[in-house]
Amino acid sequence: MFYTLRQLTTPDFVLWGLVGLLALTVMIFLATLEGRHFRTLGLGAPWLRLRLASLPILAIALLAVYGTVAVFGDGPQALAVAYMALFSVGTIVYFGLHAIAGRIFGIRGGHASWIAFSGLVLIGVLPAIGGTLMPFVNLAAKIWKEGTVGGISSESSPFIASGKRVRLPDGEEVFALRYRAPEGVQLLRADMEGSGHRARDVLRMSTSTICRAGQDLALLWPAERPLPRLYVFWQTAEKRDRQSLIDIAPPADNAVTDFTATWTQQRVSFSATLPREALSLVWARSGSTPFVDSVPRTGPEAECVDALDLPARGELGHPQALRIRVDHALPKGPTWAETRRP
């Protein structure tokens, strides 16, 4: 979560900050109305004490849920255990502690239960307002960002190209290309243009063709498909924003190398840098079709990997194979190449 917050651009940060401020204002307004009601009942001071105690009570309830999942949840059933614990253990602890604290502060059971329930309503204001305004915030942020990048000065690309032609296990050939940033250059954003269409801020999309490795860019591109153009936005060591057009070219050395994967019990390493979202892990199941699970991104932008930790999945153990997705233009669509553990 903190990594995502650090990656927010200024338009996103400002607009979501305004949404957060609006939600906080609504929460304060509702709490004020509730406090006014309890003051008319002569329970203003006890209400305030119990309302302030709601946050530590909520924390204790969540810890109880977490402890239940840690003890009884393992593997695929962990999510089901978490839901059951939330609506059983979490509910009992949350409302039970409110009842106990209410008795200590001098509030009857019915009023204490209402304060407990209204506390959940107050917390729900933030996701409710955020979810309602999300389409408008995203649209406003996009308009803001596009207006900002349009005025950035153009300069020849400082990124150093390298790459190789790779033959995947299914025989398909792809280009594994990399554009390395010199010392001091910071990658800000990348747009990709192909077939007359320009995909903007492509690293923030769900993509299996391009990814980010630190300040570098890497592509996994079918050799049979026309190469795209990149519009790269970057920052100099002096913190000046620049943009460059990169006409992608095939590797100078057109020799083909076979893709290889090196397996250990808990890790697999590959001979080419790949987008994380191009990968899936495969678990064999006796008498049934294999179980396949994607490798989702861990941050707001598409991430490059050259190795993966192999998670254990209950009785299935560690995965036995790795699938690599290669995106082709329609009507062919995506293909998958599979490499198996020896």
Side-chain angles (χ1 to χ4, degrees), residues 43 144 214 251 277 319:
L43 297 172
W144 186 347
E277 291 185 67

Side-chain angles (χ1 to χ4, degrees), residues 5-327:
L5 289 175
R6 288 197 302 270
Q7 296 298 312
L8 284 178
T9 61
T10 299
D12 292 316
F13 189 81
V14 171
L15 291 170
W16 282 113
L18 292 174
V19 171
L21 184 61
L22 173 63
L24 181 61
T25 302
V26 173
M27 293 166 69
I28 292 174
F29 174 72
L30 293 177
T32 301
L33 290 180
E34 184 183 63
R36 185 179 301 170
H37 170 72
F38 277 93
R39 281 194 295 272
T40 61
L41 300 177
L43 297 172
W47 166 83
L48 180 60
R49 296 191 190 99
L50 187 54
R51 172 54 66 226
L52 292 175
S54 289
L55 282 177
I57 289 175
L58 177 63
I60 294 171
L62 292 176
L63 284 174
V65 172
Y66 176 79
T68 304
V69 176
V71 173
F72 298 103
D74 182 32
Q77 71 270 23
L79 185 60
V81 173
Y83 277 118
M84 288 189 291
L86 183 64
F87 292 106
S88 57
V89 176
T91 301
I92 292 171
V93 172
Y94 180 77
F95 283 92
L97 289 179
H98 272 88
I100 294 171
R103 185 180 298 274
I104 294 172
F105 296 144
I107 295 181
R108 297 190 303 274
H111 286 147
S113 298
W114 167 255
I115 293 172
F117 175 76
S118 66
L120 297 177
V121 173
L122 290 176
I123 294 173
V125 166
L126 182 58
I129 292 180
T132 302
L133 297 181
M134 181 181 292
F136 306 100
V137 171
N138 290 342
L139 178 60
K142 182 178 180 180
I143 294 173
W144 186 347
K145 285 186 281 190
E146 292 306 319
T148 301
V149 301
I152 294 178
S153 301
S154 297
E155 192 172 304
S156 59
S157 171
F159 292 83
I160 303 167
S162 63
K164 53 188 174 182
R165 190 179 184 117
V166 178
R167 183 185 295 111
L168 297 178
D170 63 348
E172 181 173 4
E173 294 182 5
V174 297
F175 294 130
L177 306 173
R178 184 139 181 175
Y179 291 87
R180 299 183 183 276
E183 184 74 24
V185 168
Q186 181 179 354
L187 176 64
L188 301 177
R189 159 181 163 164
D191 296 354
M192 180 184 290
E193 184 178 78
S195 304
H197 172 70
R198 179 167 171 174
R200 300 181 183 274
D201 208 0
V202 68
L203 291 173
R204 290 183 175 266
M205 299 180 180
S206 178
T207 172
S208 59
T209 57
I210 187 171
C211 57
R212 176 177 187 148
Q215 305 307 322
D216 300 349
L217 277 173
L219 282 85
L220 179 70
W221 201 263
E224 66 179 40
R225 187 176 172 186
L227 289 164
R229 308 169 84 190
L230 289 179
Y231 295 86
V232 181
F233 298 84
W234 48 282
Q235 196 173 72
T236 67
E238 296 75 29
K239 303 302 180 183
R240 298 190 183 96
D241 292 347
R242 295 289 185 266
Q243 62 173 311
S244 301
L245 171 62
I246 299 177
D247 283 308
I248 299 177
D253 181 3
N254 205 34
V256 181
T257 60
D258 288 328
F259 176 87
T260 58
T262 304
W263 296 79
T264 65
Q265 181 65 21
Q266 298 181 342
R267 190 171 176 82
V268 58
S269 305
F270 357 104
S271 59
T273 300
L274 303 174
R276 176 182 284 270
E277 291 185 67
L279 304 176
S280 300
L281 297 174
V282 182
W283 285 262
R285 293 189 291 187
S286 178
S288 180
T289 58
F291 179 83
V292 182
D293 195 10
S294 61
V295 182
R297 67 173 64 188
T298 58
E301 294 187 328
E303 176 190 3
C304 298
V305 290
D306 52 20
L308 279 178
D309 292 325
L310 300 174
R313 183 174 286 277
E315 68 281 358
L316 298 179
H318 295 286
Q320 290 82 38
L322 174 78
R323 287 184 182 174
I324 305 168
R325 171 179 168 140
V326 180
D327 279 342

